[in-house]
Amino acid sequence: MKRILTGIQPTGTLHLGNYFGAMKPAIALQHEGEAFYFIADYHALTTVQDPQKLRDYNRGVALDFLACGLDPARACFFLQSDVPQVTELAWILSTVTPMGLLERAHSYKDKVAHGVPASHGLFAYPVLMAADILLYDSDVVPVGKDQKQHLEMTRDIAGKFNEIYGDTFKMPEPRIQESTAVVPGLDGQKMSKSYSNTIEIFAEEKAMKKKVMGLVTDSTPVESPKDPTDSTILALYRLVAPPENVATMEDEYRTGGVGYGDFKKRLFAALWEYFAPMRARREEILSEKGYVDDVLAHGARQARSAAGHVMHRVREAIGMRAGI
Ligand code: ADP
Ligand code: TRP
């Protein structure tokens, strides 16, 4: 059985872009192999430096993932920092990682350009990510397009290590979700917390409605035909409404006579309905005290055991005492 591994950073409240771009595909994959899913909180330290926020985000992401259908009976779900061996492996890998490789990383340059402080941790981010992947003998790593270079770097680092110390690491296979379209935000550009244009999947009813009603549109009058190809309302509606309702809305765009306000109301109703079962599950989990902690504790035990085997191999390969 293939081991499928992926991580998500706990850096905010999950929005529609995260759900359709990362969570939904990952949750679907838990049926195809042995899933290892974790919350990348060591990585998050490069941007979140408030302990209360880190705790809240970790809890929130865990809760939301479980509410959206991650099944702890199928998937090993854990916090990255509950398996501290990953930092040991990151150090070991960093000694075989060429500087030039890290200097070519796009994400470092992008993040610094967006105002993230240029720390050593941010620069070494891809090495920790390689450790995440290699520590669990991962076969398949499903990620969004933005992570493609990181996976190539992981393969380069594993290859370099294997070349020096002999065959130690399994080569992970990337699974880039090219097909997942970019989810647009309220202003039409990519939905992202950095652009403050998000719709949170578990927002309160009033808050979600307010956001949807505030979606930016052009000023085409109610009676005029509208362009269905480049509409944010429709792009979001297609994600959550039944196909026949989408077809109706597209027709109404083309013929005119219905205003954007009306379309937005329908979009809100569809969004609210789409996430209803997940909201219900979320309430259920919240009422079961200790459930999330128990799931993460169980996942951590499973992950530590898998990590122990690989670290044994690695320490032996480099000439350190194994099995400590
Ligand atoms: P943000 O852009 O809000 O900071 P992240 O970069 O933390 O979000 O994204 C986490 C994951 O969610 C990424 O793997 C990315 O592929 C996915 N994702 C985020 N925003 C979108 C979007 N607008 N459309 C599709 N996928 C997205
Ligand atoms: N860097 C990824 C992101 O920002 C999160 C991540 C950390 C990850 N470690 C990973 C994803 C290992 C896949 C595998 O989305």
Side-chain angles (χ1 to χ4, degrees):
M1 184 126 90
K2 292 219 172 195
R3 181 165 293 172
I4 305 166
L5 173 133
T6 197
I8 183 155
Q9 280 203 71
T11 48
T13 314
L14 295 171
H15 54 70
L16 289 175
N18 301 140
Y19 179 74
F20 288 102
M23 290 169 82
K24 192 174 177 234
I27 289 169
L29 275 176
Q30 72 187 346
H31 301 284
E32 277 186 34
E34 189 191 3
F36 268 55
Y37 295 159
F38 67 92
I39 301 176
D41 57 346
Y42 280 131
H43 278 113
L45 285 181
T46 56
T47 50
V48 180
Q49 296 183 331
D50 172 333
Q52 195 49 47
K53 267 198 180 142
L54 189 69
R55 275 190 289 267
D56 289 349
Y57 290 161
N58 272 346
R59 281 216 117 250
V61 172
L63 172 66
D64 291 356
F65 244 103
L66 291 165
C68 288
L70 188 135
D71 178 0
R74 283 185 175 278
C76 169
F77 186 41
F78 61 100
L79 278 179
Q80 185 186 31
S81 61
D82 278 343
V83 192
Q85 286 112 309
V86 75
T87 61
E88 181 192 0
L89 182 57
W91 171 257
I92 294 169
L93 295 178
S94 78
T95 62
V96 302
T97 304
M99 276 300 280
L101 188 74
L102 295 178
E103 279 162 357
R104 284 193 294 275
H106 311 306
S107 77
Y108 176 76
K109 288 178 225 162
D110 283 359
K111 286 180 181 171
V112 173
H114 278 95
V116 178
S119 65
H120 172 258
L122 192 70
F123 186 65
Y125 184 111
V127 184
L128 181 58
M129 185 155 159
D132 286 326
I133 296 170
L134 301 174
L135 184 60
Y136 301 105
D137 276 337
S138 312
D139 295 297
V140 183
V141 185
V143 284
K145 267 180 259 185
D146 55 327
Q147 299 297 315
K148 190 171 171 196
Q149 193 190 31
H150 285 152
L151 287 190
E152 286 160 3
M153 292 167 89
T154 298
R155 289 170 61 90
D156 283 349
I157 294 170
K160 195 90 188 164
F161 186 101
N162 287 349
E163 202 181 288
I164 300 172
Y165 293 111
D167 224 6
T168 309
F169 291 120
K170 200 177 234 184
M171 271 299 161
E173 202 187 294
R175 174 102 50 106
I176 311 293
Q177 278 135 17
E178 304 277 0
S179 58
T180 322
V182 171
V183 178
L186 298 172
D187 54 358
Q189 59 172 334
K190 178 191 168 204
M191 186 177 288
S192 167
K193 63 182 164 300
S194 339
Y195 305 147
S196 308
N197 62 356
T198 56
I199 300 176
E200 281 67 39
I201 58 177
F202 291 119
E204 299 280 336
E205 187 167 3
K206 254 192 167 155
M208 189 189 273
K209 192 166 200 174
K210 192 163 169 220
K211 284 210 166 180
V212 173
M213 295 315 286
L215 228 146
V216 180
T217 53
D218 58 32
S219 49
T220 316
V222 173
E223 59 284 0
S224 311
K226 300 167 183 68
D227 180 8
T229 50
D230 197 27
S231 153
T232 307
I233 300 176
L234 262 168
L236 297 177
Y237 197 61
R238 285 188 192 103
L239 293 170
V240 292
E244 58 277 18
N245 296 7
V246 174
T248 308
M249 195 184 279
E250 283 172 346
D251 283 347
E252 288 169 347
Y253 260 71
R254 281 190 215 97
T255 41
V258 183
Y260 285 124
D262 234 58
F263 292 138
K264 288 180 190 174
K265 279 188 197 145
R266 264 186 261 170
L267 169 61
F268 166 72
L271 271 170
W272 192 250
E273 193 179 321
Y274 184 92
F275 287 103
M278 298 171 223
R279 265 196 312 276
R281 178 70 191 123
R282 195 167 180 272
E283 287 306 314
E284 228 174 79
I285 295 172
L286 277 172
S287 67
E288 218 177 303
K289 239 183 143 358
Y291 179 83
V292 176
D293 288 335
D294 288 350
V295 166
L296 292 175
H298 177 75
R301 277 194 296 277
Q302 235 180 312
R304 275 198 293 266
S305 153
H309 293 297
V310 177
M311 281 319 290
H312 188 100
R313 223 157 64 211
V314 171
R315 291 177 64 102
E316 208 157 62
I318 59 182
M320 286 179 179
R321 263 176 348 110
I324 53 153

